[in-house]
Amino acid sequence: MTQEEFMAKLAEVKVCPVVVIDDVEDAVPLARALEAGKLPMAEVTFRTPAAADAIARIAKECPNVVVGAGTVIDREQCTRAIKAGAQFIVAPSFSDEVAQCAIGHGVAYCPGTCTPTDITNALRYNLPMVKFFPAGNYGGLKTIKSLASVFPQIKFMPTGGVNVDNVNEYLGFDKIISVGGTWVCKKDMVAAKDWDGITKLCQEAYDLTH
Ligand code: 3PG
């Protein structure tokens, strides 16, 4: 998926579910739960050994779900994610090798940033959007507004500490096209295979933001 396609999809869903999958068997039911809750997107974090297989399963069995990889911090992970079928790459940090790998494969890359220097690195690769992480800890919307004033060409996806109480505060700023978060698919709910509960949280987030 190109950067433009990814941004268009983010603008549509407004909330990108960040998911942690320990058991690959959970991948498809979880993706279906997100889709049923009108958030047909999953950022599958490369924090568990199941991540690449989970992406492959979702890519194969859930054609309406846009699946990507999160927490991608090096070339090896980026290559594995793309081979598995990741349509986008997200990270908590900026990495030259990940930028080169993703761009080389024509896959959208959204690096994590929280300082002007990080954003300048993203601009070296003409990236049009960045993740702002961890948003809550680094000053939230106030900091994003300061960064946006000097980087008017960049769009932001705040992640980290976003929830039902502050999501619309973030989305009210026009430089923010989407937020990311785990609150719509909490780890304990995945562990309990509470797919209906996850659908309900996604639907609530969708209703709140649309
Ligand atoms: C991430 O994995 O990108 C963040 O840890 C998500 O942060 P959250 O759990 O506060 O939504």
Side-chain angles (χ1 to χ4, degrees):
M1 170 173 273
T2 65
Q3 204 79 46
E4 292 69 31
E5 288 165 343
F6 179 47
M7 288 172 76
K9 196 69 200 175
L10 283 174
E12 212 178 287
V13 294
K14 294 190 168 45
V15 176
C16 175
V18 176
V19 308
V20 183
I21 297 176
D22 288 307
D23 180 354
V24 71
E25 297 302 329
D26 290 340
V28 169
L30 172 55
R32 289 191 175 134
L34 302 175
E35 186 183 356
K38 297 211 189 85
L39 296 182
M41 181 178 269
E43 177 192 323
V44 180
T45 53
F46 257 65
R47 298 201 278 262
T48 64
D53 289 341
I55 289 171
R57 293 262 187 115
I58 296 169
K60 187 162 172 261
E61 293 182 47
C62 307
N64 297 324
V65 175
V66 176
V67 63
T71 328
V72 175
I73 57 171
D74 61 32
R75 183 185 294 275
E76 187 268 330
Q77 287 179 335
C78 186
T79 307
R80 274 204 293 139
I82 291 171
K83 273 197 184 138
Q87 293 170 280
F88 62 87
I89 301 292
V90 177
S93 54
F94 176 84
S95 157
D96 280 295
E97 62 182 51
V98 175
Q100 287 157 12
C101 178
I103 291 167
H105 285 89
V107 173
Y109 175 45
C110 180
T113 64
C114 61
T115 68
T117 304
D118 298 333
I119 294 173
T120 304
N121 279 326
L123 289 175
R124 289 194 286 113
Y125 290 88
N126 293 317
L127 297 173
M129 73 166 294
V130 295
K131 171 165 160 169
F132 178 67
F133 175 80
N137 294 344
Y138 277 102
L141 185 58
K142 198 165 170 233
T143 303
I144 294 175
K145 284 188 171 171
S146 297
L147 292 167
S149 70
V150 290
F151 298 110
Q153 66 275 59
I154 281 279
K155 295 278 202 298
F156 295 87
M157 176 165 74
T159 306
V162 184
N163 54 52
V164 285
D165 296 326
N166 58 19
V167 61
N168 279 336
E169 190 188 322
Y170 282 114
L171 290 173
F173 182 46
D174 66 352
K175 294 300 170 105
I176 295 174
I177 55 171
S178 164
V179 302
T182 58
W183 92 90
V184 289
C185 48
K186 297 192 172 86
K187 221 176 165 207
D188 55 338
M189 293 173 87
V190 178
K193 302 190 191 301
D194 182 4
W195 312 128
D196 289 345
I198 289 172
T199 294
K200 198 162 165 268
L201 287 180
C202 291
Q203 181 75 57
E204 269 169 20
Y206 179 89
D207 292 343
L208 189 63
T209 54
H210 288 76

